[in-house]
Amino acid sequence: MNRKDGLLVLCIGMVLCLCLIPPAMASTEEENNTPAKDAAQLKMEELEAELGEEGMQEVQEYLELQASLPHVVKASPYSYIAFAATDEESQIAYMTGIDESDLTEEEKEKLKAELQDVWDRYPDDFRIEDNVPL
């Protein structure tokens, strides 16, 4: 092979490389542009598959309710007990827990009355002082 043929082969090789690399790079960029799902999105899809449409609607309603609560309720470390005001079964469970505690009868009645007072005023008239009986 003479020098001219070698140079020609080298030029053809370079042209081929230059022509083939951009399409290969473009396909890699297209793959990278596919939106990746983050962990939270994957978890939500998993939860939606598990709960179904009706369950997800309940979750949405619960989140909207939580967002609408006054700041003093959200800031309470015992807001989950105060939230029992929205569910009679939860109220019964707390009252039963008080009845089964080691408190004296007088302490039980006082605590149950204070708790019922908090639940009766929940959430609009919830006060910082309500954290004491909770």
Side-chain angles (χ1 to χ4, degrees):
M1 189 187 302
N2 64 25
R3 219 167 198 263
K4 279 186 171 181
D5 290 338
L7 189 57
L8 181 62
V9 169
L10 183 62
C11 287
I12 291 173
M14 286 176 57
V15 169
L16 284 175
C17 285
L18 291 173
C19 291
L20 294 178
I21 289 176
M25 294 290 284
S27 68
T28 305
E29 287 177 17
E30 287 174 10
E31 291 173 9
N32 291 340
N33 287 338
T34 304
K37 296 180 181 179
D38 63 7
Q41 188 176 9
L42 291 172
K43 189 69 175 170
M44 284 301 292
E45 288 177 3
E46 179 182 318
L47 184 62
E48 187 173 5
E50 184 178 319
L51 297 177
E53 189 174 320
E54 188 175 304
M56 288 302 288
Q57 182 62 35
E58 287 180 29
V59 169
Q60 181 64 31
E61 289 170 4
Y62 175 80
L63 293 174
E64 288 172 3
L65 173 64
Q66 288 293 323
S68 71
L69 293 174
H71 178 70
V72 69
V73 174
K74 292 179 193 177
S76 170
Y78 307 106
S79 61
Y80 60 95
I81 299 173
F83 190 70
T86 64
D87 180 42
E88 189 175 339
E89 287 180 28
S90 295
Q91 291 178 22
I92 292 169
Y94 281 113
M95 294 297 189
T96 302
I98 292 171
D99 286 336
E100 295 175 354
S101 72
D102 293 336
L103 299 172
T104 66
E105 287 302 316
E106 184 179 305
E107 292 171 326
K108 289 178 184 179
E109 292 307 314
K110 181 181 178 207
L111 183 57
K112 287 167 62 174
E114 290 174 342
L115 193 54
Q116 189 62 55
D117 177 53
V118 171
W119 287 337
D120 289 343
R121 291 182 286 103
Y122 180 84
D124 297 325
D125 294 325
F126 187 85
R127 300 181 295 261
I128 293 173
E129 302 84 41
D130 292 335
N131 287 311
V132 176
L134 295 179

